[in-house]
mmCIF file of all heavy atoms in Angstrom:
data_model
loop_
_atom_site.group_PDB
_atom_site.id
_atom_site.type_symbol
_atom_site.label_atom_id
_atom_site.label_comp_id
_atom_site.label_asym_id
_atom_site.label_seq_id
_atom_site.Cartn_x
_atom_site.Cartn_y
_atom_site.Cartn_z
ATOM 1 N N ASN A 167 24.256 -8.331 -31.884
ATOM 2 C CA ASN A 167 25.478 -7.840 -32.551
ATOM 3 C C ASN A 167 25.153 -7.188 -33.863
ATOM 4 O O ASN A 167 24.580 -7.743 -34.742
ATOM 5 C CB ASN A 167 26.418 -9.100 -32.728
ATOM 6 C CG ASN A 167 27.867 -8.639 -33.149
ATOM 7 O OD1 ASN A 167 28.092 -7.514 -33.651
ATOM 8 N ND2 ASN A 167 28.809 -9.469 -32.987
ATOM 9 N N ASN A 168 25.532 -5.926 -33.903
ATOM 10 C CA ASN A 168 25.206 -5.155 -35.185
ATOM 11 C C ASN A 168 25.997 -5.658 -36.407
ATOM 12 O O ASN A 168 25.670 -5.337 -37.547
ATOM 13 C CB ASN A 168 25.268 -3.636 -35.003
ATOM 14 C CG ASN A 168 26.667 -3.067 -34.748
ATOM 15 O OD1 ASN A 168 27.661 -3.792 -34.850
ATOM 16 N ND2 ASN A 168 26.709 -1.850 -34.384
ATOM 17 N N ALA A 169 27.067 -6.491 -36.203
ATOM 18 C CA ALA A 169 27.712 -7.124 -37.291
ATOM 19 C C ALA A 169 26.773 -8.000 -38.135
ATOM 20 O O ALA A 169 26.956 -8.295 -39.281
ATOM 21 C CB ALA A 169 28.932 -7.876 -36.841
ATOM 22 N N ASP A 170 25.729 -8.495 -37.465
ATOM 23 C CA ASP A 170 24.729 -9.389 -38.141
ATOM 24 C C ASP A 170 24.053 -8.751 -39.262
ATOM 25 O O ASP A 170 23.725 -9.415 -40.228
ATOM 26 C CB ASP A 170 23.680 -9.878 -37.127
ATOM 27 C CG ASP A 170 24.290 -10.851 -35.992
ATOM 28 O OD1 ASP A 170 25.387 -11.298 -36.175
ATOM 29 O OD2 ASP A 170 23.586 -11.042 -34.994
ATOM 30 N N TRP A 171 23.884 -7.462 -39.247
ATOM 31 C CA TRP A 171 23.284 -6.786 -40.400
ATOM 32 C C TRP A 171 24.224 -5.800 -41.101
ATOM 33 O O TRP A 171 24.244 -5.690 -42.287
ATOM 34 C CB TRP A 171 22.035 -6.019 -40.014
ATOM 35 C CG TRP A 171 22.122 -5.082 -38.856
ATOM 36 C CD1 TRP A 171 22.499 -3.806 -38.897
ATOM 37 C CD2 TRP A 171 21.775 -5.356 -37.488
ATOM 38 N NE1 TRP A 171 22.470 -3.234 -37.607
ATOM 39 C CE2 TRP A 171 21.966 -4.194 -36.747
ATOM 40 C CE3 TRP A 171 21.204 -6.431 -36.815
ATOM 41 C CZ2 TRP A 171 21.733 -4.069 -35.428
ATOM 42 C CZ3 TRP A 171 20.976 -6.363 -35.484
ATOM 43 C CH2 TRP A 171 21.261 -5.198 -34.782
ATOM 44 N N LEU A 172 25.233 -5.156 -40.338
ATOM 45 C CA LEU A 172 26.155 -4.205 -40.997
ATOM 46 C C LEU A 172 27.052 -4.885 -41.932
ATOM 47 O O LEU A 172 27.397 -4.384 -43.010
ATOM 48 C CB LEU A 172 26.851 -3.404 -39.905
ATOM 49 C CG LEU A 172 26.066 -2.509 -39.096
ATOM 50 C CD1 LEU A 172 26.962 -1.706 -38.124
ATOM 51 C CD2 LEU A 172 25.172 -1.549 -39.847
ATOM 52 N N ASP A 173 27.507 -6.064 -41.529
ATOM 53 C CA ASP A 173 28.437 -6.848 -42.434
ATOM 54 C C ASP A 173 27.817 -7.288 -43.724
ATOM 55 O O ASP A 173 28.524 -7.568 -44.750
ATOM 56 C CB ASP A 173 28.959 -8.078 -41.707
ATOM 57 C CG ASP A 173 30.057 -7.748 -40.683
ATOM 58 O OD1 ASP A 173 30.325 -6.597 -40.488
ATOM 59 O OD2 ASP A 173 30.483 -8.720 -39.987
ATOM 60 N N GLU A 174 26.461 -7.272 -43.754
ATOM 61 C CA GLU A 174 25.787 -7.759 -44.995
ATOM 62 C C GLU A 174 25.408 -6.626 -45.915
ATOM 63 O O GLU A 174 24.895 -6.813 -46.976
ATOM 64 C CB GLU A 174 24.464 -8.528 -44.592
ATOM 65 C CG GLU A 174 24.722 -9.748 -43.670
ATOM 66 C CD GLU A 174 25.612 -10.766 -44.312
ATOM 67 O OE1 GLU A 174 25.452 -11.007 -45.493
ATOM 68 O OE2 GLU A 174 26.567 -11.244 -43.599
ATOM 69 N N LEU A 175 25.617 -5.397 -45.518
ATOM 70 C CA LEU A 175 25.188 -4.246 -46.268
ATOM 71 C C LEU A 175 26.064 -4.138 -47.606
ATOM 72 O O LEU A 175 27.288 -4.276 -47.629
ATOM 73 C CB LEU A 175 25.322 -2.920 -45.501
ATOM 74 C CG LEU A 175 24.374 -2.684 -44.365
ATOM 75 C CD1 LEU A 175 24.697 -1.365 -43.613
ATOM 76 C CD2 LEU A 175 22.962 -2.603 -44.851
ATOM 77 N N ALA A 176 25.393 -3.773 -48.706
ATOM 78 C CA ALA A 176 26.001 -3.511 -49.940
ATOM 79 C C ALA A 176 26.170 -2.011 -50.038
ATOM 80 O O ALA A 176 25.245 -1.223 -49.723
ATOM 81 C CB ALA A 176 25.239 -4.085 -51.098
ATOM 82 N N TYR A 177 27.355 -1.551 -50.534
ATOM 83 C CA TYR A 177 27.712 -0.168 -50.458
ATOM 84 C C TYR A 177 26.689 0.714 -51.280
ATOM 85 O O TYR A 177 26.181 1.719 -50.771
ATOM 86 C CB TYR A 177 29.107 0.060 -50.917
ATOM 87 C CG TYR A 177 29.616 1.485 -50.723
ATOM 88 C CD1 TYR A 177 29.713 2.053 -49.420
ATOM 89 C CD2 TYR A 177 30.072 2.220 -51.838
ATOM 90 C CE1 TYR A 177 30.182 3.225 -49.236
ATOM 91 C CE2 TYR A 177 30.573 3.446 -51.628
ATOM 92 C CZ TYR A 177 30.599 3.967 -50.325
ATOM 93 O OH TYR A 177 31.106 5.271 -50.183
ATOM 94 N N ILE A 178 26.484 0.376 -52.494
ATOM 95 C CA ILE A 178 25.657 1.177 -53.440
ATOM 96 C C ILE A 178 24.176 1.311 -52.829
ATOM 97 O O ILE A 178 23.602 2.367 -52.710
ATOM 98 C CB ILE A 178 25.680 0.747 -54.812
ATOM 99 C CG1 ILE A 178 27.109 0.824 -55.396
ATOM 100 C CG2 ILE A 178 24.771 1.504 -55.735
ATOM 101 C CD1 ILE A 178 27.707 2.237 -55.378
ATOM 102 N N PRO A 179 23.616 0.148 -52.487
ATOM 103 C CA PRO A 179 22.283 0.221 -51.920
ATOM 104 C C PRO A 179 22.183 0.980 -50.628
ATOM 105 O O PRO A 179 21.198 1.774 -50.407
ATOM 106 C CB PRO A 179 21.875 -1.300 -51.708
ATOM 107 C CG PRO A 179 22.646 -2.076 -52.694
ATOM 108 C CD PRO A 179 23.967 -1.314 -52.752
ATOM 109 N N LEU A 180 23.222 0.925 -49.807
ATOM 110 C CA LEU A 180 23.307 1.766 -48.621
ATOM 111 C C LEU A 180 23.279 3.215 -48.933
ATOM 112 O O LEU A 180 22.490 4.002 -48.326
ATOM 113 C CB LEU A 180 24.478 1.380 -47.793
ATOM 114 C CG LEU A 180 24.705 2.241 -46.495
ATOM 115 C CD1 LEU A 180 23.625 1.948 -45.516
ATOM 116 C CD2 LEU A 180 26.147 1.973 -45.942
ATOM 117 N N LEU A 181 24.067 3.608 -49.894
ATOM 118 C CA LEU A 181 24.111 5.047 -50.310
ATOM 119 C C LEU A 181 22.767 5.456 -50.857
ATOM 120 O O LEU A 181 22.287 6.570 -50.505
ATOM 121 C CB LEU A 181 25.243 5.243 -51.395
ATOM 122 C CG LEU A 181 26.631 5.111 -50.939
ATOM 123 C CD1 LEU A 181 27.562 5.302 -52.130
ATOM 124 C CD2 LEU A 181 27.042 6.016 -49.879
ATOM 125 N N ARG A 182 22.129 4.641 -51.610
ATOM 126 C CA ARG A 182 20.891 5.048 -52.270
ATOM 127 C C ARG A 182 19.744 5.061 -51.262
ATOM 128 O O ARG A 182 18.894 5.979 -51.304
ATOM 129 C CB ARG A 182 20.495 4.082 -53.417
ATOM 130 C CG ARG A 182 21.380 4.318 -54.624
ATOM 131 C CD ARG A 182 21.052 3.170 -55.709
ATOM 132 N NE ARG A 182 19.629 3.200 -56.079
ATOM 133 C CZ ARG A 182 19.119 4.001 -57.081
ATOM 134 N NH1 ARG A 182 19.894 4.773 -57.751
ATOM 135 N NH2 ARG A 182 17.850 3.857 -57.328
ATOM 136 N N GLU A 183 19.603 4.050 -50.403
ATOM 137 C CA GLU A 183 18.543 3.905 -49.486
ATOM 138 C C GLU A 183 18.631 4.699 -48.203
ATOM 139 O O GLU A 183 17.677 5.239 -47.622
ATOM 140 C CB GLU A 183 18.312 2.401 -49.231
ATOM 141 C CG GLU A 183 17.915 1.625 -50.477
ATOM 142 C CD GLU A 183 17.920 0.131 -50.250
ATOM 143 O OE1 GLU A 183 17.832 -0.271 -49.024
ATOM 144 O OE2 GLU A 183 18.020 -0.688 -51.225
ATOM 145 N N ILE A 184 19.883 4.756 -47.723
ATOM 146 C CA ILE A 184 20.121 5.384 -46.407
ATOM 147 C C ILE A 184 20.802 6.733 -46.558
ATOM 148 O O ILE A 184 20.412 7.731 -45.884
ATOM 149 C CB ILE A 184 20.889 4.498 -45.501
ATOM 150 C CG1 ILE A 184 20.221 3.110 -45.346
ATOM 151 C CG2 ILE A 184 21.123 5.058 -44.096
ATOM 152 C CD1 ILE A 184 18.787 3.144 -44.835
ATOM 153 N N GLY A 185 21.749 6.784 -47.421
ATOM 154 C CA GLY A 185 22.652 8.012 -47.487
ATOM 155 C C GLY A 185 21.846 9.211 -47.870
ATOM 156 O O GLY A 185 22.171 10.349 -47.495
ATOM 157 N N ARG A 186 20.741 9.054 -48.637
ATOM 158 C CA ARG A 186 20.060 10.183 -49.201
ATOM 159 C C ARG A 186 19.271 10.936 -48.020
ATOM 160 O O ARG A 186 18.758 12.088 -48.202
ATOM 161 C CB ARG A 186 19.013 9.784 -50.228
ATOM 162 C CG ARG A 186 17.985 8.782 -49.783
ATOM 163 C CD ARG A 186 17.183 8.169 -50.952
ATOM 164 N NE ARG A 186 16.189 7.191 -50.595
ATOM 165 C CZ ARG A 186 15.011 7.426 -50.396
ATOM 166 N NH1 ARG A 186 14.556 8.705 -50.365
ATOM 167 N NH2 ARG A 186 14.081 6.510 -49.986
ATOM 168 N N HIS A 187 19.160 10.207 -46.837
ATOM 169 C CA HIS A 187 18.498 10.904 -45.682
ATOM 170 C C HIS A 187 19.437 11.685 -44.840
ATOM 171 O O HIS A 187 19.009 12.281 -43.808
ATOM 172 C CB HIS A 187 17.764 9.789 -44.855
ATOM 173 C CG HIS A 187 16.773 9.047 -45.566
ATOM 174 N ND1 HIS A 187 15.520 9.690 -45.933
ATOM 175 C CD2 HIS A 187 16.598 7.710 -45.893
ATOM 176 C CE1 HIS A 187 14.768 8.721 -46.543
ATOM 177 N NE2 HIS A 187 15.354 7.528 -46.536
ATOM 178 N N PHE A 188 20.669 11.771 -45.222
ATOM 179 C CA PHE A 188 21.706 12.477 -44.381
ATOM 180 C C PHE A 188 22.312 13.566 -45.303
ATOM 181 O O PHE A 188 22.715 13.405 -46.405
ATOM 182 C CB PHE A 188 22.811 11.554 -43.906
ATOM 183 C CG PHE A 188 22.386 10.514 -42.955
ATOM 184 C CD1 PHE A 188 21.739 9.371 -43.347
ATOM 185 C CD2 PHE A 188 22.541 10.743 -41.571
ATOM 186 C CE1 PHE A 188 21.307 8.445 -42.407
ATOM 187 C CE2 PHE A 188 22.090 9.854 -40.635
ATOM 188 C CZ PHE A 188 21.491 8.675 -41.075
ATOM 189 N N THR A 189 22.400 14.809 -44.696
ATOM 190 C CA THR A 189 23.057 15.920 -45.446
ATOM 191 C C THR A 189 24.421 16.133 -44.781
ATOM 192 O O THR A 189 24.559 16.093 -43.536
ATOM 193 C CB THR A 189 22.262 17.175 -45.329
ATOM 194 O OG1 THR A 189 22.190 17.663 -44.060
ATOM 195 C CG2 THR A 189 20.815 16.953 -45.950
ATOM 196 N N ILE A 190 25.381 16.438 -45.565
ATOM 197 C CA ILE A 190 26.735 16.751 -45.050
ATOM 198 C C ILE A 190 26.660 17.998 -44.208
ATOM 199 O O ILE A 190 27.347 18.123 -43.202
ATOM 200 C CB ILE A 190 27.735 16.957 -46.269
ATOM 201 C CG1 ILE A 190 27.911 15.672 -47.073
ATOM 202 C CG2 ILE A 190 29.094 17.411 -45.709
ATOM 203 C CD1 ILE A 190 28.516 14.520 -46.245
ATOM 204 N N ASN A 191 25.848 18.970 -44.593
ATOM 205 C CA ASN A 191 25.704 20.218 -43.899
ATOM 206 C C ASN A 191 25.332 19.911 -42.371
ATOM 207 O O ASN A 191 25.989 20.470 -41.498
ATOM 208 C CB ASN A 191 24.578 21.061 -44.479
ATOM 209 C CG ASN A 191 24.649 21.208 -45.920
ATOM 210 O OD1 ASN A 191 24.527 20.147 -46.696
ATOM 211 N ND2 ASN A 191 24.693 22.386 -46.496
ATOM 212 N N ARG A 192 24.318 19.002 -42.229
ATOM 213 C CA ARG A 192 23.982 18.771 -40.811
ATOM 214 C C ARG A 192 24.990 17.862 -40.046
ATOM 215 O O ARG A 192 25.225 18.046 -38.922
ATOM 216 C CB ARG A 192 22.569 18.033 -40.890
ATOM 217 C CG ARG A 192 22.004 17.833 -39.448
ATOM 218 C CD ARG A 192 20.585 17.758 -39.471
ATOM 219 N NE ARG A 192 20.050 17.316 -38.200
ATOM 220 C CZ ARG A 192 19.639 16.108 -37.989
ATOM 221 N NH1 ARG A 192 19.635 15.151 -38.896
ATOM 222 N NH2 ARG A 192 19.227 15.717 -36.725
ATOM 223 N N MET A 193 25.570 16.883 -40.813
ATOM 224 C CA MET A 193 26.593 16.010 -40.166
ATOM 225 C C MET A 193 27.723 16.845 -39.639
ATOM 226 O O MET A 193 28.333 16.494 -38.577
ATOM 227 C CB MET A 193 26.977 14.955 -41.119
ATOM 228 C CG MET A 193 25.923 13.985 -41.475
ATOM 229 S SD MET A 193 26.308 12.890 -42.820
ATOM 230 C CE MET A 193 27.481 11.732 -42.029
ATOM 231 N N LEU A 194 28.058 17.936 -40.297
ATOM 232 C CA LEU A 194 29.224 18.796 -39.862
ATOM 233 C C LEU A 194 28.900 19.547 -38.632
ATOM 234 O O LEU A 194 29.840 20.077 -37.941
ATOM 235 C CB LEU A 194 29.637 19.772 -41.056
ATOM 236 C CG LEU A 194 30.284 19.126 -42.237
ATOM 237 C CD1 LEU A 194 30.429 20.117 -43.368
ATOM 238 C CD2 LEU A 194 31.606 18.525 -41.857
ATOM 239 N N THR A 195 27.627 19.669 -38.232
ATOM 240 C CA THR A 195 27.255 20.450 -37.025
ATOM 241 C C THR A 195 27.396 19.625 -35.745
ATOM 242 O O THR A 195 27.357 20.151 -34.659
ATOM 243 C CB THR A 195 25.828 20.961 -37.092
ATOM 244 O OG1 THR A 195 24.910 19.809 -37.038
ATOM 245 C CG2 THR A 195 25.618 21.717 -38.388
ATOM 246 N N PHE A 196 27.572 18.243 -35.854
ATOM 247 C CA PHE A 196 27.587 17.424 -34.650
ATOM 248 C C PHE A 196 29.004 17.581 -33.999
ATOM 249 O O PHE A 196 30.012 17.686 -34.626
ATOM 250 C CB PHE A 196 27.305 15.983 -35.001
ATOM 251 C CG PHE A 196 25.861 15.710 -35.310
ATOM 252 C CD1 PHE A 196 25.455 15.328 -36.628
ATOM 253 C CD2 PHE A 196 24.890 15.984 -34.464
ATOM 254 C CE1 PHE A 196 24.152 15.100 -36.925
ATOM 255 C CE2 PHE A 196 23.543 15.746 -34.802
ATOM 256 C CZ PHE A 196 23.197 15.329 -36.018
ATOM 257 N N ASP A 197 28.936 17.542 -32.678
ATOM 258 C CA ASP A 197 30.191 17.752 -31.866
ATOM 259 C C ASP A 197 31.291 16.752 -32.262
ATOM 260 O O ASP A 197 32.472 17.135 -32.306
ATOM 261 C CB ASP A 197 29.859 17.665 -30.424
ATOM 262 C CG ASP A 197 29.124 18.857 -29.886
ATOM 263 O OD1 ASP A 197 29.072 19.897 -30.552
ATOM 264 O OD2 ASP A 197 28.465 18.705 -28.747
ATOM 265 N N SER A 198 30.863 15.478 -32.518
ATOM 266 C CA SER A 198 31.945 14.435 -32.830
ATOM 267 C C SER A 198 32.698 14.866 -34.074
ATOM 268 O O SER A 198 33.877 14.537 -34.160
ATOM 269 C CB SER A 198 31.244 13.118 -33.065
ATOM 270 O OG SER A 198 30.308 13.169 -34.107
ATOM 271 N N VAL A 199 32.096 15.613 -34.953
ATOM 272 C CA VAL A 199 32.805 16.050 -36.190
ATOM 273 C C VAL A 199 33.491 17.433 -35.904
ATOM 274 O O VAL A 199 34.635 17.655 -36.238
ATOM 275 C CB VAL A 199 31.806 16.170 -37.353
ATOM 276 C CG1 VAL A 199 32.539 16.708 -38.571
ATOM 277 C CG2 VAL A 199 31.312 14.738 -37.689
ATOM 278 N N LYS A 200 32.629 18.359 -35.364
ATOM 279 C CA LYS A 200 33.094 19.730 -35.108
ATOM 280 C C LYS A 200 34.408 19.778 -34.371
ATOM 281 O O LYS A 200 35.319 20.574 -34.700
ATOM 282 C CB LYS A 200 32.064 20.585 -34.489
ATOM 283 C CG LYS A 200 31.166 21.265 -35.400
ATOM 284 C CD LYS A 200 30.353 22.373 -34.723
ATOM 285 C CE LYS A 200 29.857 22.107 -33.356
ATOM 286 N NZ LYS A 200 28.949 23.196 -32.864
ATOM 287 N N LEU A 201 34.466 18.990 -33.293
ATOM 288 C CA LEU A 201 35.653 19.076 -32.411
ATOM 289 C C LEU A 201 36.937 18.705 -33.150
ATOM 290 O O LEU A 201 37.953 19.319 -32.906
ATOM 291 C CB LEU A 201 35.443 18.230 -31.160
ATOM 292 C CG LEU A 201 34.496 18.696 -30.127
ATOM 293 C CD1 LEU A 201 34.207 17.745 -28.982
ATOM 294 C CD2 LEU A 201 34.934 20.044 -29.553
ATOM 295 N N ARG A 202 36.831 17.614 -33.873
ATOM 296 C CA ARG A 202 37.972 17.190 -34.620
ATOM 297 C C ARG A 202 38.459 18.307 -35.613
ATOM 298 O O ARG A 202 39.668 18.557 -35.761
ATOM 299 C CB ARG A 202 37.701 15.935 -35.390
ATOM 300 C CG ARG A 202 37.575 14.662 -34.592
ATOM 301 C CD ARG A 202 39.002 14.070 -34.374
ATOM 302 N NE ARG A 202 38.830 12.788 -33.750
ATOM 303 C CZ ARG A 202 38.790 11.603 -34.472
ATOM 304 N NH1 ARG A 202 38.958 11.626 -35.771
ATOM 305 N NH2 ARG A 202 38.619 10.492 -33.858
ATOM 306 N N LEU A 203 37.477 18.858 -36.359
ATOM 307 C CA LEU A 203 37.876 19.798 -37.371
ATOM 308 C C LEU A 203 38.445 21.090 -36.717
ATOM 309 O O LEU A 203 39.352 21.694 -37.246
ATOM 310 C CB LEU A 203 36.608 20.195 -38.229
ATOM 311 C CG LEU A 203 36.040 18.985 -39.002
ATOM 312 C CD1 LEU A 203 34.807 19.388 -39.843
ATOM 313 C CD2 LEU A 203 37.135 18.344 -39.928
ATOM 314 N N GLU A 204 37.772 21.578 -35.594
ATOM 315 C CA GLU A 204 38.196 22.765 -34.929
ATOM 316 C C GLU A 204 39.619 22.603 -34.416
ATOM 317 O O GLU A 204 40.361 23.553 -34.356
ATOM 318 C CB GLU A 204 37.287 23.173 -33.780
ATOM 319 C CG GLU A 204 35.934 23.628 -34.221
ATOM 320 C CD GLU A 204 34.900 23.802 -33.142
ATOM 321 O OE1 GLU A 204 35.209 23.493 -32.010
ATOM 322 O OE2 GLU A 204 33.805 24.282 -33.461
ATOM 323 N N ARG A 205 39.970 21.443 -33.964
ATOM 324 C CA ARG A 205 41.295 21.157 -33.401
ATOM 325 C C ARG A 205 42.248 20.744 -34.492
ATOM 326 O O ARG A 205 43.426 20.369 -34.189
ATOM 327 C CB ARG A 205 41.212 20.066 -32.341
ATOM 328 C CG ARG A 205 40.392 20.460 -31.153
ATOM 329 C CD ARG A 205 40.152 19.293 -30.183
ATOM 330 N NE ARG A 205 39.389 19.608 -29.018
ATOM 331 C CZ ARG A 205 38.964 18.761 -28.084
ATOM 332 N NH1 ARG A 205 39.345 17.489 -28.199
ATOM 333 N NH2 ARG A 205 38.195 19.134 -27.124
ATOM 334 N N GLU A 206 41.849 20.811 -35.754
ATOM 335 C CA GLU A 206 42.646 20.410 -36.888
ATOM 336 C C GLU A 206 43.219 18.965 -36.729
ATOM 337 O O GLU A 206 44.384 18.674 -37.118
ATOM 338 C CB GLU A 206 43.730 21.432 -37.165
ATOM 339 C CG GLU A 206 43.234 22.848 -37.446
ATOM 340 C CD GLU A 206 44.367 23.813 -37.744
ATOM 341 O OE1 GLU A 206 45.486 23.446 -37.563
ATOM 342 O OE2 GLU A 206 44.034 24.988 -38.116
ATOM 343 N N GLN A 207 42.417 18.105 -36.149
ATOM 344 C CA GLN A 207 42.734 16.685 -36.025
ATOM 345 C C GLN A 207 42.069 15.957 -37.202
ATOM 346 O O GLN A 207 40.975 16.296 -37.686
ATOM 347 C CB GLN A 207 42.293 16.110 -34.675
ATOM 348 C CG GLN A 207 42.851 16.739 -33.475
ATOM 349 C CD GLN A 207 44.227 16.304 -33.226
ATOM 350 O OE1 GLN A 207 44.717 15.286 -33.813
ATOM 351 N NE2 GLN A 207 44.919 16.943 -32.269
ATOM 352 N N PRO A 208 42.709 14.956 -37.699
ATOM 353 C CA PRO A 208 42.133 14.178 -38.851
ATOM 354 C C PRO A 208 40.890 13.410 -38.520
ATOM 355 O O PRO A 208 40.815 12.860 -37.407
ATOM 356 C CB PRO A 208 43.250 13.275 -39.291
ATOM 357 C CG PRO A 208 44.110 13.071 -38.123
ATOM 358 C CD PRO A 208 44.085 14.408 -37.364
ATOM 359 N N LEU A 209 39.919 13.518 -39.327
ATOM 360 C CA LEU A 209 38.697 12.685 -39.238
ATOM 361 C C LEU A 209 38.497 11.889 -40.510
ATOM 362 O O LEU A 209 38.285 12.438 -41.565
ATOM 363 C CB LEU A 209 37.471 13.600 -39.036
ATOM 364 C CG LEU A 209 36.081 12.846 -38.887
ATOM 365 C CD1 LEU A 209 36.051 12.084 -37.647
ATOM 366 C CD2 LEU A 209 34.959 13.873 -39.074
ATOM 367 N N THR A 210 38.744 10.644 -40.407
ATOM 368 C CA THR A 210 38.725 9.803 -41.669
ATOM 369 C C THR A 210 37.274 9.617 -42.232
ATOM 370 O O THR A 210 36.400 9.736 -41.440
ATOM 371 C CB THR A 210 39.383 8.480 -41.415
ATOM 372 O OG1 THR A 210 38.490 7.646 -40.484
ATOM 373 C CG2 THR A 210 40.705 8.522 -40.795
ATOM 374 N N PHE A 211 37.255 9.335 -43.473
ATOM 375 C CA PHE A 211 35.934 9.086 -44.096
ATOM 376 C C PHE A 211 35.251 7.846 -43.448
ATOM 377 O O PHE A 211 34.090 7.779 -43.319
ATOM 378 C CB PHE A 211 36.137 8.859 -45.629
ATOM 379 C CG PHE A 211 34.845 8.530 -46.314
ATOM 380 C CD1 PHE A 211 33.867 9.538 -46.456
ATOM 381 C CD2 PHE A 211 34.615 7.283 -46.791
ATOM 382 C CE1 PHE A 211 32.679 9.286 -47.118
ATOM 383 C CE2 PHE A 211 33.407 6.956 -47.429
ATOM 384 C CZ PHE A 211 32.470 7.990 -47.556
ATOM 385 N N LEU A 212 36.146 6.859 -42.960
ATOM 386 C CA LEU A 212 35.630 5.711 -42.301
ATOM 387 C C LEU A 212 34.853 6.215 -40.981
ATOM 388 O O LEU A 212 33.728 5.714 -40.802
ATOM 389 C CB LEU A 212 36.877 4.798 -41.859
ATOM 390 C CG LEU A 212 36.547 3.502 -41.160
ATOM 391 C CD1 LEU A 212 35.778 2.539 -42.055
ATOM 392 C CD2 LEU A 212 37.809 2.886 -40.550
ATOM 393 N N GLU A 213 35.489 6.999 -40.189
ATOM 394 C CA GLU A 213 34.839 7.479 -38.988
ATOM 395 C C GLU A 213 33.553 8.339 -39.301
ATOM 396 O O GLU A 213 32.630 8.346 -38.477
ATOM 397 C CB GLU A 213 35.810 8.286 -38.147
ATOM 398 C CG GLU A 213 36.987 7.457 -37.529
ATOM 399 C CD GLU A 213 37.941 8.360 -36.847
ATOM 400 O OE1 GLU A 213 38.662 9.124 -37.524
ATOM 401 O OE2 GLU A 213 38.019 8.296 -35.603
ATOM 402 N N PHE A 214 33.704 9.090 -40.346
ATOM 403 C CA PHE A 214 32.611 9.964 -40.751
ATOM 404 C C PHE A 214 31.287 9.193 -40.989
ATOM 405 O O PHE A 214 30.165 9.709 -40.721
ATOM 406 C CB PHE A 214 32.942 10.789 -41.957
ATOM 407 C CG PHE A 214 32.026 11.919 -42.210
ATOM 408 C CD1 PHE A 214 31.986 12.981 -41.348
ATOM 409 C CD2 PHE A 214 31.308 11.995 -43.421
ATOM 410 C CE1 PHE A 214 31.135 14.092 -41.585
ATOM 411 C CE2 PHE A 214 30.480 13.102 -43.659
ATOM 412 C CZ PHE A 214 30.422 14.074 -42.805
#
């Protein structure tokens, strides 16, 4: 169950250690994001 480790994550360390490996530019190219935006459907920061 991924809750075993995801529930334990601290926000700031996650941003520093993991977030720096992801670019918004590239994340916007994925279909899961593009389709929502193209259809003008809301995509929450939570889902992002």
Side-chain angles (χ1 to χ4, degrees):
N167 187 338
N168 64 14
D170 292 345
W171 53 85
L172 294 183
D173 284 359
E174 303 301 317
L175 289 177
Y177 189 59
I178 299 300
L180 176 67
L181 291 179
R182 286 176 59 88
E183 297 170 19
I184 304 301
R186 63 190 178 92
H187 296 295
F188 293 82
T189 67
I190 297 296
N191 314 60
R192 186 154 169 258
M193 292 169 75
L194 290 174
T195 67
F196 289 117
D197 288 341
S198 59
V199 176
K200 267 196 322 185
L201 287 175
R202 285 278 191 93
L203 298 180
E204 288 172 357
R205 297 172 182 176
E206 298 184 354
Q207 299 285 347
L209 178 71
T210 68
F211 180 69
L212 181 69
E213 294 174 290
F214 194 63

